Amino acid sequence: MFSWYSKVSAGERRTFWACFGGWALDALDVQMFSLVIPAIIAEWGISKTEAGLVSGVTLVASALGGWICGAAADRFGRVRTLQITVAWFSIFTLLSAFAQNFPQFIVLKALQGFGFGGEWAAGAVLMAETIRNEHRGKAMGAVQSAWAVGWGAAVLLYAGVFSFLPATLGWRVMFGVGILPALLIIYVRRNVKEPEVPAAKASTKQAAASAKRIPLLSIFAPDVLRMTLIGGLLGVGAHGGYAALTTWLPTFLKTERHLSVLGTGGYLAVIIVAFFCGCIAASYLLDAIGRRQTILLFSVCCVATVILYVFLPMSNHAMLALGFPLGFFAAGIPASMGALFNELYPRGTRGTGVGFCYNFGRVVSAGFPVMVGHLATQYSLGFAIGIDAAIAYAIVAISVLMLPETRGRTLTEDPVV
């Protein structure tokens, strides 16, 4: 599964580790907030609704960052945009540690989110254009697994900091550590090169038309509009299913199943390890059986696992065991989207398209937890979660069936629409 790494060049490896490190450090900074929510609530006496608003605002800002910075990567280069976005989210994570009140904090978190979304878009395109065709799926899926590494690091940092410091100081120290990703810029500047720009194949007329496009709106041009609409729909289903599960499943297991294992470190460890393994498995399958088949397989398995989770009677131990396949299959879909989205767009609009399709789904996905809550007023919470997840992952399956298979595509080629 990992033999591909020895077959790529030193430059490809350096790019891989730069993007892997950036995504892991992104996760470290982002997951901090979910761990310190109780301390933040106590610090300023805010409600849980206001604490949830921070996550919502950060999510919207990250989506805008992905779209805008994706366009910047098309205009100014992948490496330069990656450096700027890493510096951006590192600085605003650090500044969040010095927030004096809740309004300041929510503004700083929104600005952090903008950089976080932008870093993924720039890094994903840089990886796709650097890694050779036959190993692109494996490399990009493996990079997505870095989220689990950063998530685990955030949990360990939280445990260490809050073991020795009071909560009023501990959360500020954690955000202060968030400046560390800025060190990645030194590595990127020294070791990562901008992908070579292929010789233009388009006619003079096509080139002129492309040059007149507004960068952010270039993905809505007639030649790529279909890819943008279907790709955005795929992102909606992938993120919507994940959002519904992570938002409501803990409440369901606590209130309707009366299970206590959710409060243990073992449950969190299982989910993190499952996410990592799901990304690695998807990375292998992307190049072995193709992009469409991989996403379709994981979406069907997600529906089946969720149905088992919400309708089968389970003990604590059974729930803990079934948590692994649930996290495993849920991780495989986002791990697959980077390779697919990059291969759907031509170079001039690739960054914009990747940033939009991935992040548009993240914003719209906020409606799926709301749908679960609405259905739960008339039916059981378990039934509502099952229906919601089935709808979300059905959207994934239908969307991917409407897209072409892109495995092995050379990114200098014109995409198949």
Side-chain angles (χ1 to χ4, degrees), residues 29 84-97 108 112 175 178-179 182:
D29 284 3
I84 293 172
T85 53
V86 169
W88 182 286
F89 80 73
S90 300
I91 290 170
F92 283 107
T93 302
L94 173 64
L95 292 177
S96 297
L108 290 169
Q112 178 213 37
F175 279 110
I179 192 62

Side-chain angles (χ1 to χ4, degrees), residues 31-45:
Q31 293 297 130
M32 282 180 188
F33 177 70
S34 64
L35 297 169
V36 302
I37 285 177
I40 297 293
I41 291 176
E43 178 80 12
W44 293 309

